[in-house]
Amino acid sequence: MGEPMVTALGHAGLRIDGEGFRLLADPWLSPGGAFLGSWFPFPDNSHLLAPELLDVDAVVVSHEHLDHLDLDLLAALAPEIPIVIPRYPSTIMQRRLRAIGRHRIVVLDAWQRYPLTETDWLTVIPEQCPMSHDSAVLVKVGDRSVLHTNDARISLSQARRASTEVGGPLDVMGVQMSGASWHPVRYEYDEVERERIATIKRVGKFKAVTRLVRQIEPRFVMPYAGPPCFLDDDLFELNSGLSPGGIFPDQGEALAWLGDRIPSQAAAYLLPGDRIRLADLSIVHDPHWTGFALDSGPQERRRYLSAYAARRRRAIEAAWAANPEPGPGLADRFKAHFESLGTLSEYFLARIGMTVRFVVDGPYGGVWDAHIGPGGVVVDLDGGSGHADYCLTMDGRWLDGVVTGRTRWEELLLSLRFTARRDPDRYNDYLVGLLKHADRAALRAVEAFEAARDPEETTAVTVGSEQVYVSRYCPHAGEDLAETGVVVNGVLRCLGHNFEFDLATGACLNARCDPIVVKDATYADEAV
């Protein structure tokens, strides 16, 4: 084997070569894209899909999203190659891998080491809150290290432990700085409001990553894992670079932000096929990209994406063909499916407490209201007359895929093949959690995590010239507000997921979420 090397595969995919092992991490190269034919890697990485790339000793996959868990690619690998995954409360990853014939599945607990050679290893670092099943991957390569964060929002303490595990500063740190969110792009806002929300979310993500990088000081940082591109005509205008201020910033925008805020930090983005020599952190560029530039402007971006879409036309058509117009009984299938969700978790139902309206277009569609509350879920197939807190509009073909088990809610939502509105306009993470997990064990894990938090533990923040004491941990996902909390105009914003809290009352302003504790400066004197 050659010298230790990290090869970018596009999106969050990496190939890591050590002196005695060859590893793929989150490879996504199959030409069919992901999420009902809506997402494709940007830029096109298909030139890498060759037998020599796939000749490896192991594959590690961080989580179940299909832009990381490339089922077509994994099914084609030699059967003796192990697939290493993190342990989550849900076993959906194991079930999906077994369904494609993968039986050498290694499930790791947090920080458990999987040996690659006698001296090299990898481990997984799951997010602290089980509402999101995402993990970073830490790889020890000789006397070097790679922290592959992909989609995981790891904490400062977790990143510091990663440095301790490898015995020194991290050498290469891949950071995800582009969102994967349907909010605000699929919500019924006007352009001004959509751009305002997108800017807040984009900047919040950038700030959270910048803070982590600044405090960890890795030797080299690589922004990656986005954006995807959208090649279906229905979604094409969502592509980054076609207009400023979007929710999906590209790798060049992310790198420019880091360069402005941490000019001393060595960093670069890699295009698919570019490599980093771990010995000296020098970059070897793939000649495939001669003449290509991320910052070539919107017209060139449009030309590139239009040509790419033409090459993927059959894959997009196949996604539509695999989800035909539904047959009779769609309403009854929806009702049975949604009411079954109401049997999974009283805890989640109580925290949802709303009516969700589905406006289903196409044959056998209609307007259906799901009333979700502590008593369960009641579906009214003659809906539309009363108030609805959430409203989702979609073609019946995509909904039928979910209610028949062909796809999952998370895949439909990530596909962006719907529109939405909220009244009041407040996010409810428990609704999204119920849909995306639809798994009793996963929901119980969230309940146990939230019940175990100590709401009385506090941290100090400065408001104007005064200090106040607030809950140490965000009530949404347990982010440490000592690390991720910023104060703007009397509002505490958690950079983990951009939840905002009124520092006068503690109430969450932009989502359905428990309040934080807020105490004035006298609290510190009383606590002594």
Side-chain angles (χ1 to χ4, degrees), residues 232-382:
D232 192 316
D233 290 344
D234 287 355
L235 304 171
F236 191 87
E237 293 304 321
L238 299 179
N239 283 300
S240 70
L242 300 184
S243 59
I247 193 65
F248 304 114
D250 66 30
Q251 304 94 316
E253 294 175 77
L255 182 65
W257 174 282
L258 288 174
D260 288 343
R261 274 75 183 173
I262 321 176
S264 61
Q265 174 66 59
Y269 66 79
L270 273 66
L271 296 174
D274 290 346
R275 295 173 291 164
I276 305 171
R277 291 190 178 100
L278 287 175
D280 60 4
L281 301 180
S282 62
I283 298 175
V284 181
H285 291 287
D286 185 339
H288 177 84
W289 299 108
T290 301
F292 176 88
L294 284 178
D295 60 355
S296 56
Q299 293 308 312
E300 183 57 35
R301 178 72 62 91
R302 185 176 292 276
R303 281 192 289 271
Y304 178 86
L305 290 170
S306 296
Y308 189 3
R311 296 194 297 273
R312 291 290 177 273
R313 183 57 50 200
R314 288 185 179 178
I316 296 167
E317 291 172 350
W320 282 80
N323 292 274
E325 290 185 343
L330 174 61
D332 291 333
R333 292 192 293 277
F334 170 82
K335 178 180 173 69
H337 167 83
F338 224 89
E339 290 185 348
S340 73
L341 294 177
T343 67
L344 297 178
S345 172
E346 275 289 320
Y347 183 82
F348 270 69
L349 297 183
R351 282 155 179 76
I352 295 170
M354 65 168 63
T355 295
V356 183
R357 177 164 295 149
F358 291 82
V359 179
V360 183
D361 297 328
Y364 308 105
V367 179
W368 309 326
D369 289 348
H371 306 287
I372 307 172
V377 176
V378 176
V379 173
D380 177 5
L381 295 179
D382 295 312

Side-chain angles (χ1 to χ4, degrees), residues 1-5 17-20:
M1 296 186 181
E3 61 181 313
M5 192 86 68
D17 289 87
E19 293 187 355

Side-chain angles (χ1 to χ4, degrees), residues 10 40 46 169 185 205 246 260 302 385 416 432 466 521:
F40 292 85
S46 58
V185 294
K205 180 70 173 177
D260 288 343
R302 185 176 292 276
S385 59
L416 311 182
V432 176
E466 298 181 355

